[in-house]
Amino acid sequence: MAHSTQLNVATIEQQAAKHDETAQNISAQLDQLKQQVEATLAASTSGATRALSMTCDSWIESVRKSVLAHLQAMAENIRRESKNQGATDEASTQALLNLPMELGNFLVS
């Protein structure tokens, strides 16, 4: 079987889905971390524990705004460009089909 650099829609969607899945996994881990810090804060209300909680909240928010947002944007960009490429391919195919038959036969042979 010949190797090809051509990507199909299913392969592209799989890559976008991996980005979405990674973002969901990170989000779940951040939620779990927040729960653990809250449990620690419930057990000890010392200044150090409160500082840990505030730092953790800030860090989690930063990760959500930066890392997760970028992963989600990458997935959206992959899907959008796939659709754009598909539209370009369809337009090119239609242009080739509209060529006069003699020229079309030459290109196919």
Side-chain angles (χ1 to χ4, degrees):
M1 181 173 169
H3 294 287
S4 173
T5 58
Q6 183 179 15
L7 296 175
N8 61 40
V9 175
T11 303
I12 294 170
E13 179 55 36
Q14 286 174 351
Q15 189 62 44
K18 285 181 186 178
H19 282 73
D20 290 333
E21 182 181 343
T22 299
Q24 290 170 356
N25 288 341
I26 291 171
S27 183
Q29 290 176 8
L30 292 172
D31 292 341
Q32 182 180 12
L33 174 63
K34 178 62 180 156
Q35 290 173 355
Q36 291 172 347
V37 170
E38 287 175 354
T40 302
L41 184 60
S44 169
T45 58
S46 72
T49 307
R50 284 193 308 271
L52 170 66
S53 178
M54 290 174 24
T55 301
C56 182
D57 288 346
S58 177
W59 182 78
I60 288 173
E61 187 63 27
S62 294
V63 170
R64 287 189 194 283
K65 286 183 180 178
S66 179
V67 176
L68 297 183
H70 280 93
L71 282 167
Q72 292 162 346
M74 283 190 286
E76 290 173 20
N77 289 339
I78 289 169
R79 288 183 180 102
R80 183 181 60 250
E81 290 306 317
S82 173
K83 289 177 186 172
N84 290 346
Q85 186 61 47
T88 300
D89 288 349
E90 287 179 27
S92 297
T93 299
Q94 191 58 47
L96 286 173
L97 293 174
N98 289 337
L99 292 173
M101 186 57 98
E102 297 79 26
L103 185 57
N105 287 336
F106 169 77
L107 291 174
V108 174
S109 313

